[in-house]
Amino acid sequence: DDGYFVDGMHEEVLTQVSTLDAVRVISQASVAGLQGLPLDEVASELGVRFILEGSVRRLEDQVRITARLTDTVGGGQVWAASYQELWEDLFSVQRDIADRIARSLDAQFRPDPEVVGTHSLDSEAYDFFLRGRAYEVRSRTESDLRLAIEMYEQAVQVDPDYALAFVRLGVTFRRLYWFGFDRSDETLEAARDAVDQALSLQPGLPEAIVAQAWYDYQIERDFDEALRKLDNLDPSTEFEPELRGAIYRRQGDFDRAVESFSRAFDRNPRSPGLALDLGNSFSVLGRFAEANRSFQRAQEIGIPGWGAYWWQAWNYILWRGDVDAARAVLRAADANPSLTDWPSRDLDWFTIEMLSGNPREALRFVEQGEEWIPGQYGDTSRELLVGMALHRMGDGRSRDYFLTARDRVRSRLLDDAEDPYLHRDLALSLAWLGDRAEALEAADRATELLPRSRDALVAPDLVRTKAEVQSIVGDVEGALGTLADLMTRPNRSISPELLRLDPVWDPLRGHPRFSRFVDGG
């Protein structure tokens, strides 16, 4: 019953030990699931030499802790210790364990690992905090994120001065928004306010500054400001290299992104999220086999989010044009009982079935349900998708759906005229209706609102849509020019195999320039 408490103790000791020079520390997430294995197997799996083992038991107002450090190469126990302390002395025990490890490894702390004011000495608040962390790190599902928020809110209610709990509350609200579970302004406001409150309680708190950098990156898309915040932190400690990798990727520096994600994965080799990030970065660079291995690894080592499956399916399309392999991946996602939250499931299945030449099956996934089908990078009008499937089937009812989609998108644009994905949907609706000039204008507007300079990872999707619109309305030269620009830069939006597969490019087939694109020239 105290597993979450043990995990919290683990994380606190790890945070202090990670500030030792020349010592590589594996993250808590990568250790999960390895308890009970022989130590040499654990060491081999994680690529480490020394292993710290411990147990924690709470006894009313006291905590009993045992700890042992083992050298799996030299053999034997390096040291062992046991403690029975009052709750108020818990953090001094954590520091003592870190000091013992430092002496044993003849290592020095970089900055002083003592962080004053970060933790709550209120046992109830700390208990809520640890429960929140357990839910937050367990998965990327909506249910776990909301449970984490509930725990953090109770922690700060018990202790309103608990800065670190406010940080994690803000981070979890932001992740709830980022993963598409709750795209409300209230969620973003809650994310900002919680981190601001943490900094008002403890100015300069590194965890809060990193949380702000994540917000700059994901929500504001201010990549330079996010890097500035990271660069202003203690240069001797690299905070969250995965954030640097994510920023470099959005800036279009994909090789540097791979380096940063690889460093992060080195210290957290059982992180499905980092394996997913590596896979996506490899895919952008056209390193499809490496991407596939990374996606597979993400599925094998933890409770993955839906992205580990969808991006592997899409990678098969870009790599081989293999719709059967893509379908098999999505079926595996459907069969995974741990994957309870998959916001874009219907859209993903629709995409693969349309590419497979099976619009009737694609229609089955979108003909019922809400007016807007969620996706990680913007919602899509259901009527637009239904219209596309019917059009592919030669069903004249498609025009009515395109008209409805056009009108609903225009209505929504009245409230959010700066949403590039709404302009994307408008462009496609107008293109299928034959409104050439307005369709091209809407497609241009989508790419203007989200240019490559703002997001080199996602913006190429809108460039591809622009080329699709040009192809649909018969602007062959325009479509070829847009494709030429798209295919000369790293992206995960188009490939020769996808050009061969997708019927949307049929108006371009037979043109010498298009043939060169398909041949990879």
Side-chain angles (χ1 to χ4, degrees), residues 320-377:
R320 300 172 178 169
D322 192 341
V323 292
D324 290 334
R327 274 203 205 94
V329 173
L330 295 190
R331 289 194 192 101
D334 276 337
N336 186 338
S338 300
L339 194 61
T340 56
D341 296 303
W342 184 1
S344 64
R345 174 186 179 272
D346 292 339
L347 179 61
D348 296 342
W349 266 111
F350 174 87
T351 300
I352 297 304
E353 292 298 346
M354 287 290 282
L355 289 173
S356 73
N358 194 355
R360 192 174 302 278
E361 182 65 16
L363 181 63
R364 185 174 66 84
F365 289 98
V366 297
E367 60 185 340
Q368 302 295 329
E370 301 296 327
E371 293 180 2
W372 297 92
I373 296 179
Q376 186 173 358
Y377 303 117

Side-chain angles (χ1 to χ4, degrees), residues 173-174 176-177 181-193 215 219-220 415-416:
F173 270 121
R174 173 181 50 77
L176 194 70
Y177 181 96
F181 300 124
D182 186 344
R183 290 284 174 82
S184 66
D185 292 340
E186 291 76 14
T187 296
L188 287 184
E189 184 178 359
R192 286 194 305 268
D193 289 349
Y215 192 95
I219 309 303
E220 299 294 343
D415 296 323
D416 194 357

Side-chain angles (χ1 to χ4, degrees), residues 78-99:
V78 178
W79 61 263
S82 61
Y83 310 82
Q84 184 158 331
E85 305 286 349
L86 292 173
W87 178 275
E88 289 78 4
D89 296 324
L90 175 63
F91 301 113
S92 66
V93 173
Q94 295 167 355
R95 175 58 187 266
D96 184 70
I97 292 174
D99 286 341

Side-chain angles (χ1 to χ4, degrees), residues 185-478:
D185 292 340
E186 291 76 14
T187 296
L188 287 184
E189 184 178 359
R192 286 194 305 268
D193 289 349
V195 176
D196 288 346
Q197 178 65 16
L199 285 170
S200 70
L201 291 168
Q202 191 172 339
L205 179 63
E207 291 87 348
I209 293 171
V210 171
Q212 284 185 325
W214 273 106
Y215 192 95
D216 290 334
Y217 154 66
Q218 288 185 329
I219 309 303
E220 299 294 343
R221 295 183 182 273
D222 190 343
F223 307 132
D224 292 337
E225 177 61 20
L227 285 176
R228 186 192 68 78
K229 285 185 172 71
L230 294 179
D231 291 340
N232 286 338
L233 294 170
D234 191 319
S236 66
T237 302
E238 184 178 29
F239 287 89
E240 302 203 29
E242 60 270 30
L243 174 53
R244 288 186 179 274
I247 294 171
Y248 293 143
R249 190 169 62 182
R250 302 281 173 165
Q251 291 178 324
D253 193 346
F254 296 104
D255 290 316
R256 200 172 182 186
V258 167
E259 292 175 5
S260 294
F261 285 132
S262 295
R263 285 198 306 275
F265 198 53
D266 186 50
R267 73 182 189 186
N268 193 358
R270 292 176 57 82
S271 165
L274 286 172
L276 172 60
D277 286 330
L278 265 175
N280 269 320
S281 301
F282 285 136
S283 188
V284 169
L285 291 169
R287 296 162 63 174
F288 299 123
E290 292 169 277
N292 192 60
R293 287 194 292 271
S294 293
F295 295 135
Q296 194 65 43
R297 180 65 174 156
Q299 296 167 30
E300 292 169 352
I301 61 181
I303 301 175
W306 59 268
Y309 292 94
W310 163 246
W311 290 116
Q312 184 183 32
W314 186 246
N315 189 65
Y316 275 123
I317 297 297
L318 296 176
W319 182 16
R320 300 172 178 169
D322 192 341
V323 292
D324 290 334
R327 274 203 205 94
V329 173
L330 295 190
R331 289 194 192 101
D334 276 337
N336 186 338
S338 300
L339 194 61
T340 56
D341 296 303
W342 184 1
S344 64
R345 174 186 179 272
D346 292 339
L347 179 61
D348 296 342
W349 266 111
F350 174 87
T351 300
I352 297 304
E353 292 298 346
M354 287 290 282
L355 289 173
S356 73
N358 194 355
R360 192 174 302 278
E361 182 65 16
L363 181 63
R364 185 174 66 84
F365 289 98
V366 297
E367 60 185 340
Q368 302 295 329
E370 301 296 327
E371 293 180 2
W372 297 92
I373 296 179
Q376 186 173 358
Y377 303 117
D379 298 343
T380 299
S381 164
R382 182 178 69 88
E383 282 76 16
L384 172 60
L385 300 177
V386 172
M388 291 167 61
L390 291 174
H391 178 82
R392 188 76 59 80
M393 294 161 56
D395 190 322
R397 292 177 298 163
S398 62
R399 183 172 180 82
D400 291 336
Y401 281 94
F402 290 138
L403 286 169
T404 302
R406 179 200 64 185
D407 293 343
R408 282 189 172 156
V409 172
R410 282 176 171 168
S411 177
R412 202 165 179 176
L413 277 168
L414 294 176
D415 296 323
D416 194 357
E418 303 297 302
D419 185 336
Y421 303 106
L422 289 176
H423 288 279
R424 171 203 63 190
D425 280 11
L426 180 60
L428 287 168
S429 301
L430 292 167
W432 288 116
L433 287 169
D435 294 338
R436 176 187 172 109
E438 289 189 67
L440 294 174
E441 181 181 353
D444 283 336
R445 183 60 179 151
T447 58
E448 290 167 2
L449 288 168
L450 186 59
R452 283 194 188 91
S453 59
R454 289 192 63 206
D455 193 332
L457 179 66
V458 177
D461 286 352
L462 297 174
V463 178
R464 183 191 64 215
T465 297
K466 178 179 177 179
E468 291 173 350
V469 168
Q470 290 167 324
S471 178
I472 293 166
V473 301
D475 182 6
V476 173
E477 291 301 322

